[in-house]
Amino acid sequence: MASVLTIDRAPSATPAAVRATRGVVPALALTAIVGAVGWLVLVAAGGASVLSPTAARGGGAGAWTLGPLHGLIGVWSSARVLHREMLLVLIVVGIGWVVVWATANWLPTRVLAAGVVAAHAALLLGPPLPLTDVFNYDLYGRMAAAHGLNPYRDIPARVPHDPIFALTNWHHLRSPYGPLFTLASEGLGVFGVHGWLWAWKVVVILSSLASVALAADIAGRLGVSRRRVIAAVGLSPVLLVAEVGGLHQDMPAMACLLCAAWCIVREREADAPVWTSALAGALVIAAAGIKPSFALVVGVVVLGASRRPRAIAGAVIVAAVMGVIDLVAFGGALPAITTQSALVSPLSIPNLLGLAAGHGGADGAVRGVAQAVLVAIAVGATIAVGLRRERALGALGIVLFGSLLTISWVMPWYLVWALPFIALTPRRALAPLAVAATCWLTLGGLATLPGVLHSAGYFPTRLATGEANHLEFVRLVQ
């Protein structure tokens, strides 16, 4: 009798098993992001160092900014080692972000949200990380509340005896921030010198989490993956390490702008409340009142609303209120945005184009052309939305990303302006653009950048334009 050879086969994997297996990769990447952020916070809290610059200012007067995690690990004395740790964390978070963004649909939404919250919680407990302006915010508010000075007409150098002055750096720069923000900074002064920082931390953390939640809800309403948007926005290294870690004031403005965008999307639905258009107009003005740069997108939001007259009315009412606030509290003075716009960072696109064009960098002529290009982008986007409301979200992304490419003083956290709108587009081809911009801006924000440029043979201050730009920076911070 012929024998029959049988081969045992493993049972085919069930769909549930496949899902569980493929979820390992994004889960590991998410864990790496949270772990790297937590490690950075612990190292920064170890003591005054290049990772916690405000703690190192004022001859140790800022040691209290290290927070409750101070002392959990030893102090790292070598700046070289700390710079290496910072770079390693940025690489881990950056790679993890790309992996989770690409595979976010393999994880439950609650797991992604938990990772975002955990990273924010770690940053809440730590000290302000490098490239921070947080105590400049505090001092501008204190200039008005405690010293009777106008931060839009007076410079911080006039109050060198203030307990916060030693922790600040822009001593000769009049406030470039919006009146709503400056007034809010005054209000937080009721918590005291130390309490102000903790109150502001809560504002930044809640604004950031609200922005992620709003972006995710918009995604759901547009039929875009919520999980991918949560990963793209909430786990970005520029959001976590640069924006939230540095306690910058972009997130409250972004929360207002994203809420305005949410109103635009919500009012397209049959059961939309009647107030959405008016609220969208009001919120975009509030965003500009916090971050004056966002005035560029007021027209996009107002014309993107389904009920334009109501959006215009909402914008006009809030603009009038903001004008009264500025007139009463600050004598009608305006933020010093022209002074700040004269600053130049080495890797900004205008500076690189100025070098290529033989101007030695971003001189006045190059900056003027770049500003004209940005205005043209904003006007073109506004006209496009005026013709078709459905273009509003895309137009917001174009204008805000265009800002990164045309301003001469560009910082890593500025990418958070455009990142939510890049994530919300159904065109995944834009994701590499966000990754490339993250690499470019992160490199531009490294404290070791001068050494990197010198090793590449680029010495900005050896050129007349570069030296003039550097001297202007020194004048404002000395």
Side-chain angles (χ1 to χ4, degrees), residues 260 262-264 266-268 272-284 301-315 389:
W262 179 90
C263 289
I264 290 175
R266 178 70 176 89
E267 67 183 356
R268 298 174 186 172
V274 296
W275 43 261
T276 49
S277 292
L279 184 59
L283 285 168
V284 70
V301 171
V302 169
L303 295 180
S306 295
R307 301 175 180 88
R308 289 174 177 172
R310 295 184 182 182
I312 293 172
R389 294 181 175 87

Side-chain angles (χ1 to χ4, degrees), residues 1 28 116 127 149 253 370 372 406 419:
M1 179 181 295
L28 289 175
V116 172
L149 298 176
T406 53
L419 186 57

Side-chain angles (χ1 to χ4, degrees), residues 171-325:
H171 296 156
H172 287 78
L173 176 66
R174 293 179 291 111
S175 174
Y177 308 111
L180 290 184
F181 171 74
T182 303
L183 191 66
S185 183
E186 285 188 55
L188 293 180
V190 300
F191 295 104
V193 173
H194 293 192
W196 185 97
L197 178 62
W198 284 100
W200 178 243
K201 281 186 176 185
V202 171
V203 170
V204 173
I205 294 293
L206 292 181
S207 297
S208 181
L209 293 175
S211 296
V212 176
L214 284 165
D217 193 72
I218 293 172
R221 295 177 185 277
L222 293 177
V224 177
S225 170
R226 292 174 184 262
R227 286 172 282 186
R228 285 177 54 83
V229 169
I230 291 172
V233 180
L235 298 173
S236 165
V238 293
L239 175 78
L240 294 176
V241 179
E243 171 64 25
V244 177
L247 299 176
H248 292 283
Q249 51 94 246
D250 302 72
M251 290 322 298
M254 279 304 301
C256 290
L257 183 59
L258 281 168
C259 194
W262 179 90
C263 289
I264 290 175
V265 174
R266 178 70 176 89
E267 67 183 356
R268 298 174 186 172
E269 300 170 3
D271 61 341
V274 296
W275 43 261
T276 49
S277 292
L279 184 59
L283 285 168
V284 70
I285 296 295
I290 298 170
K291 192 79 176 179
S293 304
F294 287 179
L296 287 168
V297 297
V298 169
V300 172
V301 171
V302 169
L303 295 180
S306 295
R307 301 175 180 88
R308 289 174 177 172
R310 295 184 182 182
I312 293 172
V316 168
I317 291 172
V318 174
V321 171
M322 192 165 64
V324 170
I325 290 173

